[in-house]
Amino acid sequence: MPEGPLFRSAKKNLALVKNYEPGKPLEELEREYGVKRAVKLASNENSLGPSPKALVAAKKALARVHRYPDGGSFYLRRRLSKFLGVRPETLIFGNGSDEILVMAARAFAGKGDEVLIADPTFLIYEIASRAEGANVVKVPMKNFHYDLEAMRGRLGARTKLIFIANPDNPVGTYIQKGPLLRFLKAVPRRAVVVLDEAYHEFARQEKDYPRSLELLKTFDNLIVTRTFSKAYGLSGLRIGYGVARPEVIRSLNKVREPFNVNLVAQAAAAAALDDTAHLRRTLRMVKEGRAVLQKALTALGFAVVGTATNFILADAKTDARILYEKLLRKGVIVRSMHAWGMDTFIRVTIGRPEENRKLINALKEILKKEPS
Ligand SMILES: *Cc1c(COP(=O)(O)O)cnc(C)c1O
């Protein structure tokens, strides 16, 4: 794209901002490649679909869309506050939890400030921080785990914000309670820590997965974010939330758009919390699918990274972009990890049994044709 005068008149730091490349939408694949019945295992969505209870609530809410939504999300706030056992004023809602990450960057990181993140991690942290003009300090992971010792070593007078994804995306591993606690104790209180728990529902059964809401009692500089996009199956409605001390929530609210969470999403999210059966089905599907995919990928020669989520990172030991393209032609969308600089890795979402089987069969056909 030619960079004309209007590009140059945008804020200087935007030149450093990479565009987020989302997983390919199903319709786009079907349109571009003419394949039918394609399968998307690229964006860690819930392949079982939305909770039926959430759908009923969403349809009912549609009749009211000539009105603005409740900017304070009153009913959802009350419902979630009971569900989590936290006070209503400790909650904030976002148009996806993405938006809360962006609000955190807007509220806490500016020109000259440093934002500390791991590498690889969720790409939005860097994008949101650079858009605010902050510098981003990246600390490489060690053996696919956060290197919290090294991150401690990079804390400095300019550190204003730290993003930790637990579990991490795209890696899938998680930080246990002990190491996280030691790290939080080392962070100066003027720096804010965002603990992104987008995969909390999948990870919370794991050994020593931190109880982050308990940590909020000790650490007043913590923001815990979660989402309805993953386990709850509401990615398309865009709704997530943050939990933090009221003082922190007040700052986030200053940069929040007044009607950021739409009325259909508010109603659906509240109903989804009641649908424990759908969540249970989802967790079972992921647990079973994880074992099947890990075994099959390993048998196909991939090096598979252990995961506490609904996705698997795997080293294909071959150009991941080419593999990704070949899978597209067979009607399977995965994520190539080249945007993260991991040129031989793919990330696959754990889907329904027939979707996982379609991926495995496609990989078998592709890899069979290549001399190893
Ligand atoms: C998917 C994801 C999110 C955000 O999802 P939303 O749909 O915006 O709620 C946030 N963090 C991580 C690590 C994710 O993988």
mmCIF file of all heavy atoms in Angstrom, residues 44 95-99 101 122 125 165 167 169 196 198-199 227-230 235 238-240, ligand 1:
data_model
loop_
_atom_site.group_PDB
_atom_site.id
_atom_site.type_symbol
_atom_site.label_atom_id
_atom_site.label_comp_id
_atom_site.label_asym_id
_atom_site.label_seq_id
_atom_site.Cartn_x
_atom_site.Cartn_y
_atom_site.Cartn_z
ATOM 1 N N ASN A 44 -10.188 -20.571 18.128
ATOM 2 C CA ASN A 44 -10.476 -21.050 19.491
ATOM 3 C C ASN A 44 -11.917 -20.784 19.923
ATOM 4 O O ASN A 44 -12.204 -20.532 21.092
ATOM 5 C CB ASN A 44 -9.483 -20.447 20.489
ATOM 6 C CG ASN A 44 -8.058 -20.652 20.030
ATOM 7 O OD1 ASN A 44 -7.794 -21.575 19.251
ATOM 8 N ND2 ASN A 44 -7.144 -19.824 20.481
ATOM 9 N N ASN A 95 -16.565 -4.842 24.781
ATOM 10 C CA ASN A 95 -17.011 -5.384 23.504
ATOM 11 C C ASN A 95 -16.000 -6.482 23.119
ATOM 12 O O ASN A 95 -15.120 -6.290 22.298
ATOM 13 C CB ASN A 95 -17.044 -4.248 22.477
ATOM 14 C CG ASN A 95 -17.662 -4.664 21.167
ATOM 15 O OD1 ASN A 95 -18.591 -5.471 21.125
ATOM 16 N ND2 ASN A 95 -17.142 -4.138 20.083
ATOM 17 N N GLY A 96 -16.110 -7.603 23.808
ATOM 18 C CA GLY A 96 -15.050 -8.607 23.839
ATOM 19 C C GLY A 96 -14.066 -8.210 24.931
ATOM 20 O O GLY A 96 -13.976 -7.023 25.282
ATOM 21 N N SER A 97 -13.348 -9.195 25.479
ATOM 22 C CA SER A 97 -12.357 -8.810 26.499
ATOM 23 C C SER A 97 -11.207 -8.052 25.838
ATOM 24 O O SER A 97 -10.503 -7.285 26.490
ATOM 25 C CB SER A 97 -11.850 -10.026 27.281
ATOM 26 O OG SER A 97 -11.267 -10.974 26.436
ATOM 27 N N ASP A 98 -11.044 -8.231 24.539
ATOM 28 C CA ASP A 98 -10.121 -7.396 23.756
ATOM 29 C C ASP A 98 -10.244 -5.924 24.108
ATOM 30 O O ASP A 98 -9.259 -5.227 24.255
ATOM 31 C CB ASP A 98 -10.498 -7.482 22.260
ATOM 32 C CG ASP A 98 -9.634 -8.470 21.515
ATOM 33 O OD1 ASP A 98 -8.729 -9.055 22.132
ATOM 34 O OD2 ASP A 98 -9.883 -8.655 20.316
ATOM 35 N N GLU A 99 -11.482 -5.475 24.192
ATOM 36 C CA GLU A 99 -11.681 -4.052 24.419
ATOM 37 C C GLU A 99 -11.172 -3.638 25.797
ATOM 38 O O GLU A 99 -10.708 -2.513 25.980
ATOM 39 C CB GLU A 99 -13.167 -3.675 24.271
ATOM 40 C CG GLU A 99 -13.315 -2.173 24.104
ATOM 41 C CD GLU A 99 -14.726 -1.660 24.259
ATOM 42 O OE1 GLU A 99 -15.570 -2.349 24.854
ATOM 43 O OE2 GLU A 99 -14.995 -0.549 23.790
ATOM 44 N N LEU A 101 -8.574 -4.975 27.236
ATOM 45 C CA LEU A 101 -7.112 -4.895 27.082
ATOM 46 C C LEU A 101 -6.738 -3.537 26.477
ATOM 47 O O LEU A 101 -5.783 -2.888 26.912
ATOM 48 C CB LEU A 101 -6.604 -6.029 26.178
ATOM 49 C CG LEU A 101 -7.038 -7.454 26.574
ATOM 50 C CD1 LEU A 101 -6.608 -8.457 25.505
ATOM 51 C CD2 LEU A 101 -6.493 -7.838 27.940
ATOM 52 N N PHE A 122 -0.436 -13.127 23.123
ATOM 53 C CA PHE A 122 -1.569 -12.578 22.383
ATOM 54 C C PHE A 122 -1.147 -11.258 21.712
ATOM 55 O O PHE A 122 -0.606 -10.372 22.375
ATOM 56 C CB PHE A 122 -2.708 -12.356 23.376
ATOM 57 C CG PHE A 122 -4.048 -12.144 22.754
ATOM 58 C CD1 PHE A 122 -4.521 -12.972 21.753
ATOM 59 C CD2 PHE A 122 -4.865 -11.109 23.201
ATOM 60 C CE1 PHE A 122 -5.774 -12.779 21.195
ATOM 61 C CE2 PHE A 122 -6.121 -10.905 22.660
ATOM 62 C CZ PHE A 122 -6.573 -11.748 21.658
ATOM 63 N N TYR A 125 -1.811 -7.256 22.803
ATOM 64 C CA TYR A 125 -1.091 -6.506 23.840
ATOM 65 C C TYR A 125 -0.126 -5.504 23.203
ATOM 66 O O TYR A 125 -0.051 -4.353 23.603
ATOM 67 C CB TYR A 125 -0.280 -7.441 24.756
ATOM 68 C CG TYR A 125 -1.059 -8.570 25.381
ATOM 69 C CD1 TYR A 125 -0.411 -9.758 25.745
ATOM 70 C CD2 TYR A 125 -2.419 -8.465 25.623
ATOM 71 C CE1 TYR A 125 -1.101 -10.802 26.328
ATOM 72 C CE2 TYR A 125 -3.120 -9.517 26.199
ATOM 73 C CZ TYR A 125 -2.459 -10.685 26.543
ATOM 74 O OH TYR A 125 -3.147 -11.719 27.114
ATOM 75 N N ALA A 165 -1.011 -13.567 29.827
ATOM 76 C CA ALA A 165 -2.131 -14.420 29.431
ATOM 77 C C ALA A 165 -1.965 -15.748 30.160
ATOM 78 O O ALA A 165 -0.945 -16.408 30.020
ATOM 79 C CB ALA A 165 -2.124 -14.639 27.923
ATOM 80 N N PRO A 167 -4.159 -19.230 30.790
ATOM 81 C CA PRO A 167 -3.078 -19.729 29.936
ATOM 82 C C PRO A 167 -2.753 -18.764 28.802
ATOM 83 O O PRO A 167 -3.574 -17.937 28.435
ATOM 84 C CB PRO A 167 -3.640 -21.029 29.358
ATOM 85 C CG PRO A 167 -4.835 -21.356 30.178
ATOM 86 C CD PRO A 167 -5.341 -20.092 30.736
ATOM 87 N N ASN A 169 -1.973 -17.618 24.958
ATOM 88 C CA ASN A 169 -2.331 -17.883 23.562
ATOM 89 C C ASN A 169 -1.228 -17.230 22.736
ATOM 90 O O ASN A 169 -0.982 -16.040 22.936
ATOM 91 C CB ASN A 169 -3.690 -17.253 23.259
ATOM 92 C CG ASN A 169 -4.063 -17.339 21.795
ATOM 93 O OD1 ASN A 169 -3.406 -18.015 21.017
ATOM 94 N ND2 ASN A 169 -5.117 -16.642 21.427
ATOM 95 N N ASP A 196 -4.878 -11.954 31.829
ATOM 96 C CA ASP A 196 -5.871 -12.276 30.799
ATOM 97 C C ASP A 196 -6.225 -13.757 30.895
ATOM 98 O O ASP A 196 -5.425 -14.626 30.560
ATOM 99 C CB ASP A 196 -5.257 -11.922 29.429
ATOM 100 C CG ASP A 196 -6.167 -12.271 28.257
ATOM 101 O OD1 ASP A 196 -7.168 -12.984 28.444
ATOM 102 O OD2 ASP A 196 -5.853 -11.818 27.136
ATOM 103 N N ALA A 198 -8.676 -15.542 29.294
ATOM 104 C CA ALA A 198 -9.655 -15.876 28.258
ATOM 105 C C ALA A 198 -10.001 -17.377 28.261
ATOM 106 O O ALA A 198 -11.089 -17.761 27.844
ATOM 107 C CB ALA A 198 -9.125 -15.459 26.888
ATOM 108 N N TYR A 199 -9.084 -18.197 28.759
ATOM 109 C CA TYR A 199 -9.291 -19.661 28.748
ATOM 110 C C TYR A 199 -9.510 -20.204 30.156
ATOM 111 O O TYR A 199 -9.309 -21.390 30.418
ATOM 112 C CB TYR A 199 -8.114 -20.354 28.043
ATOM 113 C CG TYR A 199 -7.979 -19.855 26.631
ATOM 114 C CD1 TYR A 199 -7.128 -18.802 26.318
ATOM 115 C CD2 TYR A 199 -8.789 -20.368 25.613
ATOM 116 C CE1 TYR A 199 -7.056 -18.288 25.034
ATOM 117 C CE2 TYR A 199 -8.730 -19.857 24.332
ATOM 118 C CZ TYR A 199 -7.867 -18.825 24.052
ATOM 119 O OH TYR A 199 -7.814 -18.315 22.789
ATOM 120 N N THR A 227 -13.747 -13.806 29.244
ATOM 121 C CA THR A 227 -14.564 -13.567 28.052
ATOM 122 C C THR A 227 -15.696 -14.577 27.913
ATOM 123 O O THR A 227 -15.618 -15.693 28.447
ATOM 124 C CB THR A 227 -13.676 -13.611 26.791
ATOM 125 O OG1 THR A 227 -14.497 -13.352 25.648
ATOM 126 C CG2 THR A 227 -13.011 -14.968 26.599
ATOM 127 N N PHE A 228 -16.722 -14.178 27.178
ATOM 128 C CA PHE A 228 -17.787 -15.105 26.789
ATOM 129 C C PHE A 228 -17.523 -15.691 25.399
ATOM 130 O O PHE A 228 -18.356 -16.395 24.849
ATOM 131 C CB PHE A 228 -19.145 -14.390 26.825
ATOM 132 C CG PHE A 228 -19.618 -14.100 28.226
ATOM 133 C CD1 PHE A 228 -19.344 -12.886 28.831
ATOM 134 C CD2 PHE A 228 -20.306 -15.060 28.942
ATOM 135 C CE1 PHE A 228 -19.752 -12.623 30.133
ATOM 136 C CE2 PHE A 228 -20.732 -14.811 30.245
ATOM 137 C CZ PHE A 228 -20.450 -13.590 30.848
ATOM 138 N N SER A 229 -16.366 -15.354 24.815
ATOM 139 C CA SER A 229 -16.086 -15.754 23.431
ATOM 140 C C SER A 229 -15.616 -17.189 23.288
ATOM 141 O O SER A 229 -15.746 -17.779 22.227
ATOM 142 C CB SER A 229 -14.985 -14.872 22.840
ATOM 143 O OG SER A 229 -15.417 -13.552 22.716
ATOM 144 N N LYS A 230 -15.012 -17.744 24.297
ATOM 145 C CA LYS A 230 -14.374 -19.042 24.131
ATOM 146 C C LYS A 230 -15.280 -20.157 24.669
ATOM 147 O O LYS A 230 -16.112 -20.652 23.936
ATOM 148 C CB LYS A 230 -12.983 -19.009 24.779
ATOM 149 C CG LYS A 230 -12.102 -17.831 24.279
ATOM 150 C CD LYS A 230 -11.568 -18.058 22.889
ATOM 151 C CE LYS A 230 -11.110 -16.808 22.143
ATOM 152 N NZ LYS A 230 -10.017 -16.035 22.702
ATOM 153 N N SER A 235 -18.507 -15.649 20.695
ATOM 154 C CA SER A 235 -17.496 -14.783 20.038
ATOM 155 C C SER A 235 -18.118 -13.710 19.162
ATOM 156 O O SER A 235 -17.656 -12.572 19.131
ATOM 157 C CB SER A 235 -16.559 -15.590 19.137
ATOM 158 O OG SER A 235 -16.294 -16.850 19.647
ATOM 159 N N ARG A 238 -19.432 -10.445 20.864
ATOM 160 C CA ARG A 238 -18.419 -9.575 21.448
ATOM 161 C C ARG A 238 -18.763 -9.138 22.873
ATOM 162 O O ARG A 238 -19.325 -8.080 23.105
ATOM 163 C CB ARG A 238 -18.196 -8.306 20.573
ATOM 164 C CG ARG A 238 -18.032 -8.521 19.087
ATOM 165 C CD ARG A 238 -16.881 -9.455 18.765
ATOM 166 N NE ARG A 238 -15.617 -8.997 19.307
ATOM 167 C CZ ARG A 238 -14.838 -9.734 20.126
ATOM 168 N NH1 ARG A 238 -15.188 -10.962 20.465
ATOM 169 N NH2 ARG A 238 -13.700 -9.253 20.570
ATOM 170 N N ILE A 239 -18.454 -9.993 23.813
ATOM 171 C CA ILE A 239 -18.595 -9.549 25.202
ATOM 172 C C ILE A 239 -17.606 -10.260 26.129
ATOM 173 O O ILE A 239 -17.416 -11.465 26.064
ATOM 174 C CB ILE A 239 -20.060 -9.672 25.719
ATOM 175 C CG1 ILE A 239 -20.130 -9.194 27.167
ATOM 176 C CG2 ILE A 239 -20.636 -11.076 25.552
ATOM 177 C CD1 ILE A 239 -21.513 -8.798 27.620
ATOM 178 N N GLY A 240 -16.953 -9.443 26.936
ATOM 179 C CA GLY A 240 -16.018 -9.948 27.938
ATOM 180 C C GLY A 240 -16.063 -9.026 29.137
ATOM 181 O O GLY A 240 -16.782 -8.031 29.140
HETATM 182 C C1 LIG B 1 -9.536 -14.889 22.404
HETATM 183 C C2 LIG B 1 -8.676 -14.157 23.368
HETATM 184 C C3 LIG B 1 -9.050 -12.940 23.943
HETATM 185 C C4 LIG B 1 -10.224 -12.099 23.646
HETATM 186 O O1 LIG B 1 -11.295 -12.468 23.131
HETATM 187 P P1 LIG B 1 -12.580 -11.556 23.058
HETATM 188 O O2 LIG B 1 -13.372 -12.228 22.031
HETATM 189 O O3 LIG B 1 -12.185 -10.172 22.689
HETATM 190 O O4 LIG B 1 -13.183 -11.584 24.424
HETATM 191 C C5 LIG B 1 -8.224 -12.347 24.854
HETATM 192 N N1 LIG B 1 -7.084 -12.896 25.196
HETATM 193 C C6 LIG B 1 -6.677 -14.060 24.692
HETATM 194 C C7 LIG B 1 -5.391 -14.617 25.141
HETATM 195 C C8 LIG B 1 -7.444 -14.716 23.735
HETATM 196 O O5 LIG B 1 -7.006 -15.838 23.191
#
